[in-house]
Amino acid sequence: MSESRVAIVTGAARGIGAATARRLAMDGFAVAVLDLEESAAKATADAVLAQGRTAIAVAADVADAEAVQVAVDRVAAELGPPTVLVNNAGITRDNLLFRMTEADWDAVVGVHLRGSFLVSRAVQRHMVEAGWGRIVNLSSTSALGKRGQANYAAAKAGLQGFTKTLAFELGRFGITVNCIAPGFVVSDMTRATAERIGVPWDEYLAQRVAEIPVGRAGGPDDIAQAVSYFVDERSGFVSGQVLYVAGGPRT
């Protein structure tokens, strides 16, 4: 893998995104750490720089087409044409269907689905010109259905169809497109879920781990390792796949 290759990781200020940015930097990529606020992304970029690798922090609302184009243009100008994209940015607005507002629905679908579409559309031109590219979309086991997450589950299931379609469209340009569906991962997002349903974190963690065949929760680095494989030369004949990284089988 060429040291000159550039990766964009969205939602990379913390959690899975931050771990992925750090991992790809160690793999030799120059990394653009993209998040809603540049100040939040800077901590991840600084951690990469401290390891002697290359990174910049970039602010963008992934659901805003103009902001996405400005961000991708900046990455291309400062680091070089991006040929790896990890669509990780996400939010939750959990509620049961009868309590879910249109704003809750639109916000979640906007970040996950519209955001992945907009960033992929902006970046694919650079991949096509290079004749090589890797797109990895972050889905979730919630795509199989999850009480209180009609918006999130629909968006994460949608990303799987989006992945398979892009694999068909972009394959002839040397671009692979794959999807990772994490199971239970310890993060700010899962801690917020425990708080929302009123269950102490330790109790919530124990309940979730009891359901996982390998007997432990996932960590952001578990997901980052899978991303590392999908963006590597080793996976050049793997495209349009959904990999459940969940400590056990999923349908």
Side-chain angles (χ1 to χ4, degrees):
M1 196 275 299
S2 169
E3 287 288 334
S4 65
R5 283 187 178 156
V6 175
I8 294 176
V9 183
T10 71
R14 59 188 63 83
I16 290 171
T20 297
R22 293 192 300 267
R23 172 69 207 201
L24 296 190
M26 295 307 293
D27 287 345
F29 292 93
V31 179
V33 179
L34 196 149
D35 212 281
L36 190 59
E37 300 291 339
E38 187 169 323
S39 57
K42 189 174 183 299
T44 302
D46 286 348
V48 170
L49 293 169
Q51 295 298 315
R53 306 291 178 165
T54 303
I56 60 171
V58 180
D61 176 354
V62 295
D64 181 327
E66 183 178 353
V68 165
Q69 192 61 60
V70 168
V72 172
D73 289 346
R74 179 186 165 194
V75 172
E78 295 189 21
L79 294 180
T83 54
V84 167
L85 169 62
V86 182
N87 284 309
N88 168 75
I91 60 171
T92 55
R93 297 288 186 273
D94 295 351
N95 227 323
L96 295 174
L97 177 63
F98 75 99
R99 292 180 183 149
M100 187 172 289
T101 67
E102 292 171 26
D104 291 337
W105 178 274
D106 290 344
V108 170
V109 172
V111 172
H112 292 272
L113 270 181
R114 176 182 168 87
S116 295
F117 156 66
L118 290 175
V119 185
S120 297
R121 188 180 65 177
V123 172
Q124 60 86 30
R125 175 174 63 86
H126 297 288
M127 298 180 179
V128 170
E129 289 176 356
W132 189 94
R134 299 284 189 266
I135 298 174
V136 181
N137 298 314
L138 268 294
S139 179
S140 168
T141 53
S142 292
L144 302 172
K146 183 73 179 293
R147 178 180 172 85
Q149 289 194 323
N151 49 4
Y152 187 79
K156 290 303 196 183
L159 281 171
Q160 297 188 15
F162 180 65
T163 295
K164 293 177 182 293
T165 300
L166 293 196
F168 280 122
E169 292 187 10
L170 301 177
R172 67 191 182 96
F173 301 108
I175 302 166
T176 67
V177 189
N178 289 289
C179 189
I180 295 170
F184 181 72
V185 173
V186 175
S187 67
D188 291 345
M189 188 176 287
T190 50
R191 290 179 183 276
T193 298
E195 184 175 350
R196 175 181 61 81
I197 63 177
V199 177
W201 171 249
D202 288 346
E203 181 180 335
Y204 182 71
L205 178 61
Q207 290 172 355
R208 297 302 303 271
V209 167
E211 302 167 354
I212 300 172
V214 301
R216 71 169 177 88
D221 288 338
D222 290 310
I223 312 306
Q225 298 280 9
V227 175
S228 177
Y229 168 71
F230 276 136
V231 304
D232 192 79
E233 297 286 0
R234 293 170 295 166
S235 62
F237 200 54
V238 180
S239 195
Q241 302 305 301
V242 180
L243 176 64
Y244 282 85
V245 183
R250 290 291 188 272
T251 301

